[in-house]
Amino acid sequence: MAGHTQNEITIAAPLDLVWDMTNDLERWPQLFSEYASVEVLKREGAKTTFRLTMHPDENGTVWSWVSEREPDRDSLTVTARRVETGPFAHMDIHWSYEEVPAGTRMVWTQDFAMKPDAPVDDDWMTDNINKNSKVQLALIRDKIEKAAAGRRPAPALAD
């Protein structure tokens, strides 16, 4: 068995701004509420290998892992995977972006499987990822929309 999630949000902001802000790894701790730090370990062309460290969970445990991420601006996609998988047998993530009339649609697709000795199973993790993705996507939307509002030209004054 394996887990699969797909979550999306439409952000009332230009695609370039959404792309730039969500692909600025070093600023992820300001974009996501769950990440305490990001450490870039290696860059090879467009691919970045980095360590993500979360804020302590309710039990005080700090989770950290190494991932690879490769954005492709031409196709408006990002492929990512965990290198240090921890409790996952594998974790693959696909981000896609699309200009829509209301702004930019961003979709996160995650395919994964938990290891047999993991403390939770695929169904539990699917539910957890779905719940958390909705929270994180809403936070990201709000922060990007706020940044977009700060970049819009002032309305013309009527004479």
Side-chain angles (χ1 to χ4, degrees), residues 56-62:
D57 67 15
E58 62 278 354
N59 300 316
T61 303
V62 175

Side-chain angles (χ1 to χ4, degrees), residues 16 24 29 46 52 70-71 75 80 89 103 110 115 145 151 154-155:
D16 286 340
D24 184 354
L52 272 176
E70 188 165 7
S75 68
Q110 293 174 269
K115 291 179 179 173
E145 287 179 356
R151 294 180 183 201

Side-chain angles (χ1 to χ4, degrees), residues 95-107:
W95 297 45
S96 65
Y97 302 76
E98 177 187 10
E99 279 189 284
V100 295
T104 303
R105 184 169 77 108
M106 185 172 65
V107 180

